[in-house]
Amino acid sequence: MAIFGYSRVSTGQQTTENQKMEIEQSGFKIDYWFSDDGVSGKVPAGKRPQFAKLLEKIRDGETLVVSKLDRLGRDALDVLQTTRHLAERQIRVVVLQLGGTDITSPAGKMLMSMLAAVAEMERDLMVERTHAGLARARKEGKQIGRPSKTTPEQRIEILEALGRGESVSSQARRYSISRANVIGIRETALN
């Protein structure tokens, strides 16, 4: 069974040589190397060109070695999804940063469960911060959402035209907006 090595650096000025050297010095004889050079850590693992090629080439039951956990994804959730996908294929995933732990082993699965809890907390905190920021912005009187395609004067004109019996479609054409926009203006006025 083959052993695959994977490394990634964010910028073209960086090199993956240190990661490769660390993996080789840990005693692994790598059969196939894949490196994403100049690929941001913000890119999900599956969308990284070389990692995607690695996933196509690696066979069930083989081994993947990385120097650090963050090489397997952009955040805790992406790392968790990537490792679950690999575990489903019985691919052994060794992370040197974690003392050479195979994160598909029982101990590694426990570690990944803790990571999943952290990822869930991370998501919950992000939602909480987003809601708090929106509430603060509303309180400060800031416009939330997409800017209106019509001015207050145009909305009054649309309501008056609709009141005279003109169609929603005619108003949409007149102001170069969608029918849904015209209907939204009418519903907002009714509430």
Side-chain angles (χ1 to χ4, degrees):
M1 289 278 148
I3 298 176
F4 288 70
Y6 175 73
S7 55
R8 179 194 59 78
V9 289
S10 300
T11 68
Q13 291 80 29
Q14 296 172 317
T15 176
T16 58
E17 289 308 309
N18 287 344
Q19 294 172 49
K20 288 180 178 180
M21 190 172 63
E22 184 179 349
I23 291 169
E24 288 170 343
Q25 288 177 349
S26 68
F28 287 96
K29 184 188 173 303
I30 302 300
D31 299 299
Y32 301 99
W33 280 107
F34 290 84
S35 295
D36 278 309
D37 298 315
V39 176
S40 169
K42 294 179 182 177
V43 176
K47 301 237 187 266
R48 298 173 184 169
Q50 290 299 308
F51 194 79
K53 286 181 183 176
L54 180 150
L55 291 176
E56 289 175 15
K57 185 163 178 81
I58 195 168
R59 294 175 299 189
D60 296 359
E62 294 185 321
T63 300
L64 170 62
V65 183
V66 295
S67 61
K68 294 184 170 75
L69 193 60
D70 68 350
R71 304 299 125 181
L72 297 173
R74 75 169 173 233
D75 55 25
L77 183 60
D78 191 31
V79 170
L80 186 64
Q81 289 171 339
T82 301
T83 55
R84 280 184 180 158
H85 170 72
L86 293 167
E88 287 169 4
R89 294 180 54 194
Q90 306 299 310
I91 294 170
R92 185 173 171 239
V93 182
V94 177
V95 181
L96 299 181
Q97 176 189 39
L98 302 175
T101 301
D102 171 6
I103 57 176
T104 58
S105 70
K109 287 178 184 175
M110 182 186 78
L111 179 65
M112 295 311 292
S113 294
M114 290 187 300
L115 182 60
V118 169
E120 185 174 346
M121 185 181 85
E122 210 173 69
R123 278 191 312 276
D124 291 346
L125 288 173
M126 186 169 47
V127 167
E128 192 176 286
R129 286 191 300 268
T130 300
H131 287 295
L134 289 171
R136 180 186 44 74
R138 279 190 201 98
K139 187 176 178 181
E140 293 172 358
K142 292 185 180 171
Q143 170 87 21
I144 303 296
R146 192 180 300 186
S148 179
K149 292 186 176 187
T150 55
T151 66
E153 294 80 21
Q154 289 173 326
R155 290 192 287 278
I156 291 169
E157 290 170 9
I158 290 170
L159 291 171
E160 288 171 351
L162 293 173
R164 290 190 304 268
E166 293 185 35
S167 72
V168 168
S169 295
S170 69
Q171 295 308 299
R173 281 191 300 274
R174 181 176 173 198
Y175 292 97
S176 300
I177 59 176
S178 69
R179 287 177 35 83
N181 262 336
V182 175
I183 292 167
I185 290 168
R186 181 178 59 195
E187 288 177 0
T188 300
L190 294 174
N191 291 335

